[in-house]
Amino acid sequence: MSDYRPVAERLHDWRAVELPLPEAETASHARACMTCGIPFCHGMGCPLTNIIPETNAALAAGNDALAYALLSKTDRFAEFTSRICPALCEGSCTHGMTGGDPVTIRALERHIIDTAWAKGWVKPEPPAQRSGKRVAVVGSGPAGLSAAEELNRAGVTVTVYERDRAPGGLLRYGIPDFKLEKALVARRIALMEAEGIRFVTGTEVGRDVSPEWLARRHDAVVWAIGTAVPRDLKAPGRDLEGIAFALDFLKGQNRLLAGECAAAPISAQGKRVLVIGGGDTGSDCVGTANRQGAVSVTQVEILPRPPLTRSPSTPWPRWPWKLRTSSSHEEGCTCVPPQVRRGVVPASGMLRRSASKARKAVFPACASAG
């Protein structure tokens, strides 16, 4: 696990919280991977099937260029995954078989890709020949960018349609800057444009252009949308003011930082905030609310509190069910255990907990949908 910047420092800015692995430690961390016999991280952990043992062997030998060549075979957006991926590979690391700490695979991947960008190894790779086929990709989030990248490498002429002002989808507008700085997204988009991918922004399919129009102009259409559709909570009092979906809250702050609006549409400044949902999105709301100047932040989760260590219900090499906290929780957050009692009621013009034992209740400012 990587270290974080001091809380007292990072709460006053929106820069990345996580620190890179110190250069002097990369080889020793990579060498820890060399004691493994069967790489479950590669076969069972990583959804991309990154060639983790060989990549870390190259790092251990001091061959960063080879490490990048191996990593980029399966991971085209390593500057994103090495910062925001939950690192399923580490859950399958053989070092964790008996309760030990896994190899810091994600931090090593960040070292590889950051080094590659710094040394100019990441360059546009347009296809040698075009197939003559044209494909429209609707949506420029992680799925849309991945589809566009693969199609373009196959020689297809790709146009990506995005309704927001800039490409990136969840990467740009959903994930806070303190987890993924947007300069990284812009840099990757520029590289994809240099490879021949065209981005059409500020255009909503179904409003500005029709699906039929896209179908007439292209050989195929890829739909890569849906992340911004929240899961609602049908609880008494849901129609009260002061309740917002997580992505609406997070997107407003990201748009403010990007200079797209003069003020955040939803602000937690001076408010007591309740975040419903204990996952990554809820954690992002906690960190954002604290930086906006919330008086207090409370988070509730419907599931029971996980154990501190790997649960017997998820034996190695499965992804362990255990208690996880994020950098945002370190910055100030009260976690409420899952008790019984639902609903929100108005009191004195503002939202309050409907009972002392609240489970899904109150949002003075924002809420996580999951």
Side-chain angles (χ1 to χ4, degrees), residues 87-98:
L88 304 181
C89 53
E90 296 181 14
S92 297
C93 176
T94 56
H95 282 254
M97 188 187 310
T98 56

Side-chain angles (χ1 to χ4, degrees), residues 268-294:
Q269 185 174 12
K271 296 183 173 68
R272 292 172 292 165
V273 177
L274 178 64
V275 178
I276 295 179
D280 285 344
T281 307
S283 170
D284 292 345
C285 289
V286 170
T288 299
N290 277 322
R291 283 165 177 75
Q292 287 182 341

